[in-house]
Amino acid sequence: MMTKYHILIVEDEPAIAEVLCAYCTAAGYSIKHFSSGQTVLAYIKDNNVDLVLLDLMLPDIDGVTLCRETRLFSQVPIIMVTAKNEEIDRLIGLEIGADDYICKPFSPREVIARIKVILRRAGNLNDKIIRQSGFELNMQKFNVTLHNQPLDLTPIEFKILERFLANINRVFSRQEIMDSVYDGFEEISDRNIDTHIKNIRKKITAVAADMNPIVSVYGVGYKMEC
Ligand code: CA
């Protein structure tokens, strides 16, 4: 079953908030609504938010500041909701990292249409490219760079690195790594995984001598720290 997209709605005007919540719910999204900005950052950090509808004028913190602060730790798509066209021009000029802008008064249908576009775009990007700590791993092209320099990995090394980059700080046992990279036909052993890890590390340090992001976890396996 597909999980519902989770939309965070930050809007202090009750009537507008009510409409946004109703339309998002009707469109099949799960929602959380805040009427002020103060708990927004903590909520985004602690929950899997897929998109934020962010009002520009809030009673406590302004939307621009919230957007900027969110971008320090998250690439969650943000649609700014603002009262005037002039504000939108100003926001674009500020390059605050929002993905889109909607002007009040808006048609709720239009809002849902924009949300769908942004979610689709974000989903496509996430599926194809992982960017993490200087690595850029493109799953469609099957290549990976570190600080823009190519890492010449074997297909198995590529799959191992992809698992690590998609799960920073998660400890993988050798068995889990084997299960995720082999298709079941090869004769393999624990030593084999250690050899692949050793080779990946060597290729990483050849590009960035001071980097050793893949860490051995004694008695368990490996994890990637960044
Ligand atoms: Ca407002």
Side-chain angles (χ1 to χ4, degrees):
M1 200 185 89
M2 221 183 113
T3 35
K4 278 186 179 183
Y5 285 114
H6 187 53
I7 313 279
L8 175 61
I9 298 167
V10 187
E11 172 63 68
D12 63 314
E13 287 165 65
I16 294 177
E18 200 180 308
V19 168
L20 288 174
C21 291
Y23 268 77
C24 284
T25 305
Y29 305 129
S30 75
I31 53 157
K32 176 76 186 172
H33 170 235
F34 289 125
S35 51
S36 74
Q38 111 200 73
T39 45
V40 168
L41 294 175
Y43 188 82
I44 294 172
K45 274 182 191 159
D46 294 343
N47 295 273
N48 287 320
V49 177
D50 293 301
L51 187 142
V52 185
L53 279 177
L54 182 56
D55 182 24
L56 181 69
M57 303 291 282
L58 294 163
D60 47 359
I61 311 166
D62 74 286
V64 170
T65 305
L66 271 182
C67 188
R68 282 208 173 114
E69 288 182 1
T70 301
R71 281 292 170 264
L72 296 177
F73 66 90
S74 169
Q75 288 303 314
V76 62
I78 297 174
I79 300 179
M80 299 293 296
V81 182
T82 151
K84 283 181 283 177
N85 268 319
E86 299 144 46
E87 290 290 352
I88 294 184
D89 292 342
R90 193 172 68 83
L91 288 175
I92 292 167
L94 286 171
E95 288 177 3
I96 58 169
D99 296 81
D100 204 351
Y101 307 86
I102 288 169
C103 199
K104 293 177 194 170
F106 50 76
S107 112
R109 277 174 217 281
E110 168 73 10
V111 175
I112 298 298
R114 300 270 197 105
I115 290 175
K116 282 184 181 162
V117 169
I118 300 279
L119 285 176
R120 202 179 307 132
R121 195 200 292 165
N124 287 342
L125 288 178
N126 290 344
D127 287 348
K128 284 177 201 153
I129 296 173
I130 300 176
R131 289 190 187 85
Q132 180 69 252
S133 311
F135 290 95
E136 185 169 313
L137 186 140
N138 188 314
M139 280 177 261
Q140 287 221 315
K141 294 184 186 163
F142 223 65
N143 68 21
V144 57
T145 58
L146 174 58
H147 302 318
N148 296 318
Q149 297 182 61
L151 286 185
D152 187 19
L153 302 183
T154 67
I156 286 175
E157 290 163 5
F158 182 91
K159 284 190 210 166
I160 294 174
L161 187 65
E162 190 243 304
R163 284 287 277 174
F164 281 130
L165 285 174
N167 299 277
I168 296 295
N169 287 325
R170 167 156 163 6
V171 181
F172 288 97
S173 68
R174 288 178 180 77
Q175 187 62 49
E176 281 179 302
I177 298 171
M178 280 189 275
D179 290 346
S180 62
V181 298
Y182 286 102
D183 48 22
F185 295 105
E186 286 131 305
E187 284 289 318
I188 45 165
S189 71
D190 283 11
R191 286 270 322 265
N192 222 318
I193 290 296
D194 293 338
T195 306
H196 291 309
I197 299 281
K198 205 171 95 189
N199 290 337
I200 297 170
R201 282 172 168 162
K202 221 184 283 174
K203 289 173 184 180
I204 289 172
T205 44
V207 170
D210 56 338
M211 271 183 82
N212 187 20
I214 302 175
V215 182
S216 306
V217 181
Y218 184 73
V220 187
Y222 294 98
K223 70 171 177 172
M224 185 170 233
E225 287 180 345
C226 282

